[in-house]
Amino acid sequence: MEIPENIWQQAQKLRETIERHNYYYYVLDEPIVLDAEFDQLFLELQQLEQHYPELITPESPTQRVGGAPLKEFSQVVHRTPMLSLSNAFEGAEVVSFDRRVCQGLEVGGIEYAVEPKFDGLAVSLCYENGLLVTGATRGDGFTGEDVTLNLRTIKSIPLHFPDGLKGATSLEVRGEVVMLKADFERLNQCQRDRGEKEFMNPRNAAAGSLRQLDPAITASRRLTFFAYGVGTYAGSDVPCNKHSQMMDHLASLHFMVAKERRVVSGAAGLMAYYHEIGTIRERLPYDIDGVVYKVNDLAEQERLGSVSRAPRFALAHKFPAQEAVTELLGINVQVGRTGALTPVARLEPVLVGGVTVTNATLHNEDEIGRKDVMIGDHVVVRRAGDVIPEVVAVVMQRRPSTARNFIMPDHCPVCGARAVRLPGEAATRCTGGLFCPAQRKQALLHFVSRRAMDIEGLGDKLVEQLVDHAIVKTPADIYKLDMTLLSSLDRMAKKSADNVVKAIEKSKDTTLARFIYALGIRNVGETTAKELAYYFGNLEQLMTADEEHLRQVPDIGPVVAQSIINFFSEMHNREVIEKLRATGVHWQEGVSTKRTKTIGGRVSDKTFVLTGALPSLSREEIKERIELAGGKVTGSVSKKTDYVIAGDGPGSKYDKAIELGITILDEARLLQLLQDSGAP
Ligand code: IVH
């Protein structure tokens, strides 16, 4: 069938738009259209291609998943071998590396390109004349597995370069396939919901997802590719003479490269970078296991060459491992503030991430079952940042014949009350309520914690004594503590007792948000407490609110609303609140600070459409501000649209706005408009 010229153009335009959106969404992490809009464009292209199959080209975004599952992967010989890196663990090794480089090059003050060491799976992507032809795993460094079909499903991998690759006919891009932490959490949540085995860590999940014979499975797992180098670059002169420039070049070809890459000088620069990344490691969206240093000058890299499969010009400086294997000696059960019984693994002490770990959480009964944990097993323990260490998996090969099952107790190990597991809940809970000393202690510790009433010096040892001696039963009793009583306790010097009394007194002057949070209402965390305080302005209003009223508060759904109602309908809780106020706990009683919607002015009742990425505000922020000023944000441009807000890389909505003669504003002009309308 002869394809009309305008259809070619239409398909081409759709592809370019879809690719641009993919790039903004997956590579830049700044989506510029709504999902529904994207899906619509994708569907249009699919329908067009269905109608005119000749339109289909391998680089079309519709062709990322296709074909039947493979029987096995074929082998690919890497054009340039994929070397590994020499490792360093200590600063002294970094200093020797820099010294060796200086000696090798006979210069000092070497410039290094430095970047995070991604903890994923190394792959090599071969592009011929600007088109992705093969993608392979590292394998033994010389030969890897052909995983092209799977790699094509990864949206951060360009299937082709926008205008071919000026000059180069052959380009091998090296990098790492990872699973972002957020995608890993989502995947494991999904596995849990389906009662399937969870993945141990993002690297295992990435490897398991990439080495799938059925590309449809890979496509269903969100993977990300980060480029960190180039293998062969043939057919034209290399457009750069520094590694850092090569990374910029790859970024311009729409590859994702580490945002945290830098250029530093000498061993001191390397060490400073190591520490810098060490402090932000937890906040990175992906797992890393160290940093990589590379001599920046490509000619100098060449001069240094390699030894035994590792280049002399590069070094991996590793962070302490976040996982370790150790023996599970036993399982204790702890009782939390809400009565939840948490099984805690007692471990043979082991060093994880530079800290000795002796206990790790096993979360709940289902988790133990899913991970098939038995006492006596060797288990993998993971500790990341501030997170409580957890048992992530069992080393099955090492299970001893003496391993035994753990049985969740049916009575609270602290107060002896019945422990029950309600349908639909993962936790088994002690039914003792605040009569259970464990729950009481936790509730009190929560009440005095920094973000709640902030009573410094009332730590767990002291709370334990106060509860065990029945001196403190409810939070209100804390305000009865005095010097005489406190200094009569074990290990309580006069000075500390004095400090505690002062801290108690000081805590009386608080805020409504802190007070609500301190009450420890189930499902009411710090943010919700703030929202409630902001919305109701005073406690009486909150205490008497019904579900409908509570659900007016941002982010409060039926479950949280019910928790709040349950809490305040307990006579006991009302009494404690009454007593607390009687002892002098107070806050600024405000009028309701309910967010008001009607402001009038030039924004009120106007309809806005957003397109493109704005320089400083996110979509959510803009939407919120417009709505606060009484305006409305919609998804598509029509005659009813009053304003189109356009940022970088606007889509078809921009064209439509011009076509319909609608006023187009940039961010600055929008902000001006909002201000003129008297918006907050
Ligand atoms: S450069 C010639 N840069 O680490 C050296 N490797 O231990 C090529 N890796 O298998 C590697 N992040 O997959 C380099 N920013 C980075 C890296 C990185 C992770 C992996 C790589 C390799 C392993 C070597």
Side-chain angles (χ1 to χ4, degrees):
M1 193 192 324
E2 185 70 22
I3 302 178
E5 182 60 25
N6 65 331
I7 297 290
W8 274 111
Q9 282 169 355
Q10 196 185 340
Q12 187 54 28
K13 185 144 189 250
L14 278 168
R15 278 180 202 153
E16 280 170 14
T17 315
I18 291 169
E19 276 167 14
R20 184 171 64 232
H21 292 328
N22 266 341
Y23 175 62
Y24 271 88
Y25 191 94
Y26 293 101
V27 178
L28 302 181
D29 194 19
E30 287 170 4
I32 51 173
V33 282
L34 297 173
D35 288 359
E37 220 171 313
F38 178 85
D39 295 345
Q40 179 59 35
L41 292 169
F42 200 85
L43 190 71
E44 265 176 53
L45 180 60
Q46 264 177 332
Q47 286 171 344
L48 210 58
E49 289 180 343
Q50 221 163 33
H51 200 114
Y52 302 102
E54 293 88 340
L55 282 177
I56 302 175
T57 57
E59 72 272 25
S60 170
T62 58
Q63 302 304 299
R64 284 193 180 266
V65 196
L70 301 173
K71 292 227 160 38
E72 59 176 6
F73 295 120
S74 48
Q75 302 283 304
V76 181
V77 176
H78 300 301
R79 249 174 273 182
T80 314
M82 292 180 77
L83 301 179
S84 54
L85 293 168
S86 312
N87 287 328
F89 295 90
E90 309 285 339
E93 296 168 87
V94 176
V95 174
S96 334
F97 162 73
D98 177 55
R99 193 175 320 122
R100 280 195 307 277
V101 170
C102 290
Q103 280 164 356
L105 296 173
E106 297 175 329
V107 283
I110 305 288
E111 187 179 277
Y112 293 100
V114 294
E115 50 207 56
K117 184 172 188 299
F118 302 101
D119 199 6
L121 214 74
V123 299
S124 177
L125 305 172
C126 283
Y127 289 83
E128 298 290 346
N129 300 314
L131 270 188
L132 174 66
V133 286
T134 27
T137 59
R138 177 172 182 274
D140 63 5
F142 297 98
T143 312
E145 282 173 333
D146 184 340
V147 285
T148 314
L149 292 180
N150 293 344
L151 289 167
R152 287 176 64 91
T153 69
I154 301 178
K155 308 285 199 328
S156 45
I157 294 183
L159 296 181
H160 70 122
F161 302 137
D163 34 3
L165 177 56
K166 292 150 228 122
T169 52
S170 198
L171 170 62
E172 227 178 338
V173 178
R174 299 280 164 83
E176 198 95 346
V177 169
V178 301
M179 187 175 283
L180 300 183
K181 291 176 190 170
D183 294 325
F184 169 74
E185 294 303 334
R186 250 193 304 268
L187 173 62
N188 265 355
Q189 182 61 50
C190 221
Q191 297 289 99
R192 276 197 292 275
D193 292 346
R194 281 185 280 170
E196 285 176 29
K197 213 166 165 337
E198 288 173 51
F199 290 92
M200 192 152 75
N201 53 40
R203 176 170 34 86
N204 283 9
S209 305
L210 188 63
R211 298 189 63 255
Q212 284 284 346
L213 290 167
D214 182 358
I217 299 183
T218 312
S220 71
R221 312 259 174 90
R222 174 87 81 84
L223 296 172
T224 301
F225 175 79
F226 281 97
Y228 58 60
V230 161
T232 311
Y233 200 115
S236 76
D237 287 339
V238 180
C240 12
N241 49 31
K242 303 246 171 148
H243 176 80
S244 52
Q245 293 165 352
M246 186 67 98
M247 290 295 102
D248 295 342
H249 179 52
L250 290 177
S252 76
L253 294 173
H254 289 190
F255 283 99
M256 219 157 147
V257 287
K259 286 199 187 83
E260 300 73 19
R261 68 189 190 284
R262 311 228 191 300
V263 173
V264 302
S265 159
L270 299 178
M271 288 309 297
Y273 183 69
Y274 178 78
H275 292 299
E276 177 195 333
I277 298 297
T279 56
I280 61 161
R281 177 184 189 185
E282 299 304 331
R283 275 173 274 148
L284 291 175
Y286 46 83
D287 264 0
I288 61 173
D289 56 346
V291 288
V292 182
Y293 310 140
K294 298 167 189 173
V295 170
N296 199 16
D297 190 295
L298 297 176
E300 288 182 349
Q301 285 193 359
E302 191 117 333
R303 268 171 59 209
L304 285 163
S306 347
V307 269
S308 65
R309 302 181 56 191
R312 281 203 195 85
F313 62 78
L315 183 74
H317 190 178
K318 301 286 264 304
F319 291 133
Q322 288 180 314
E323 282 172 13
V325 173
T326 189
E327 196 183 335
L328 174 61
L329 304 173
I331 297 179
N332 297 344
V333 174
Q334 279 181 3
V335 186
R337 174 162 66 86
T338 58
L341 306 193
T342 305
V344 177
R346 211 156 23 82
L347 305 166
E348 179 65 35
V350 63
L351 205 62
V352 194
V355 172
T356 304
V357 171
T358 49
N359 292 309
T361 180
L362 284 158
H363 300 290
N364 55 51
E365 199 176 6
D366 287 354
E367 284 290 297
I368 295 183
R370 231 182 333 256
K371 289 174 187 153
D372 188 12
V373 177
M374 289 174 81
I375 299 165
D377 270 334
H378 274 83
V379 292
V380 179
V381 183
R382 184 176 166 89
R383 183 189 154 266
D386 297 338
V387 185
I388 309 167
E390 61 166 349
V391 170
V392 284
V394 172
V395 186
M396 282 301 166
Q397 300 89 317
R398 295 180 69 178
R399 171 164 288 173
S401 56
T402 51
R404 57 200 167 85
N405 270 316
F406 163 77
I407 299 163
M408 198 68 174
D410 52 10
H411 284 85
C412 171
V414 177
C415 72
R418 253 174 359 102
V420 294
R421 186 170 164 189
L422 297 177
E425 278 212 19
T428 305
R429 287 180 202 277
C430 157
T431 52
L434 285 177
F435 294 102
C436 170
Q439 287 189 53
R440 197 177 291 162
K441 281 174 199 166
Q442 295 302 326
L444 289 168
L445 282 170
H446 171 79
F447 184 84
V448 303
S449 63
R450 201 165 50 83
R451 300 191 131 98
M453 299 302 283
D454 190 21
I455 307 183
E456 223 186 306
L458 256 179
D460 37 349
K461 289 278 173 302
L462 187 51
V463 167
E464 186 143 358
Q465 286 193 65
L466 293 169
V467 172
D468 290 346
H469 292 119
I471 301 170
V472 171
K473 293 200 181 79
T474 76
D477 297 336
I478 291 175
Y479 292 88
K480 288 195 222 138
L481 297 174
D482 58 21
M483 276 296 287
T484 337
L485 219 161
L486 283 171
S487 39
S488 72
L489 294 170
D490 266 4
R491 280 178 295 168
M492 199 63 184
K494 218 161 172 242
K495 177 92 187 109
S496 339
D498 188 40
N499 286 342
V500 173
V501 171
K502 286 202 178 107
I504 292 173
E505 193 53 38
K506 189 165 148 228
S507 77
K508 287 182 180 171
D509 184 13
T510 187
T511 65
L512 179 56
R514 277 178 178 273
F515 187 77
I516 296 172
Y517 174 60
L519 292 174
I521 305 169
R522 174 111 44 108
N523 301 314
V524 176
E526 203 185 354
T527 314
T528 308
K530 279 185 188 155
E531 288 287 0
L532 289 167
Y534 186 51
Y535 185 89
F536 288 103
N538 66 58
L539 192 63
E540 284 62 38
Q541 293 259 9
L542 168 64
M543 286 173 73
T544 51
D546 59 9
E547 171 165 347
E548 200 187 325
H549 200 179
L550 284 164
R551 290 189 59 184
Q552 303 285 317
V553 183
D555 291 336
I556 290 198
V559 177
V560 184
Q562 201 51 54
S563 296
I564 297 171
I565 293 169
N566 290 348
F567 184 89
F568 290 116
S569 61
E570 280 266 347
M571 206 44 212
H572 167 80
N573 292 333
R574 287 175 169 270
E575 275 169 21
V576 170
I577 291 170
E578 205 46 54
K579 280 191 192 151
L580 282 166
R581 299 190 83 167
T583 59
V585 173
H586 66 277
W587 50 85
Q588 178 96 50
E589 281 283 354
V591 280
S592 162
T593 37
K594 212 181 303 183
R595 297 179 188 187
T596 43
K597 283 198 170 179
T598 38
I599 283 168
R602 287 157 65 192
V603 177
S604 169
D605 296 328
K606 296 280 190 293
T607 304
F608 291 73
V609 173
L610 314 177
T611 177
L614 297 194
S616 65
L617 293 174
S618 75
R619 262 170 187 270
E620 270 55 53
E621 283 167 329
I622 297 171
K623 191 159 178 277
E624 192 181 32
R625 289 204 194 189
I626 293 176
E627 286 173 355
L628 280 173
K632 196 166 77 178
V633 177
T634 64
S636 59
V637 178
S638 73
K639 275 186 284 186
K640 291 195 191 127
T641 310
D642 294 296
Y643 298 102
V644 167
I645 315 299
D648 259 4
S652 56
K653 292 181 214 167
Y654 186 83
D655 303 354
K656 187 90 183 268
I658 292 183
E659 198 184 302
L660 296 175
I662 293 165
T663 312
I664 299 174
L665 304 176
D666 59 8
E667 187 186 83
R669 286 174 58 206
L670 167 68
L671 292 175
Q672 189 61 50
L673 187 73
L674 287 167
Q675 208 176 31
D676 294 348
S677 318

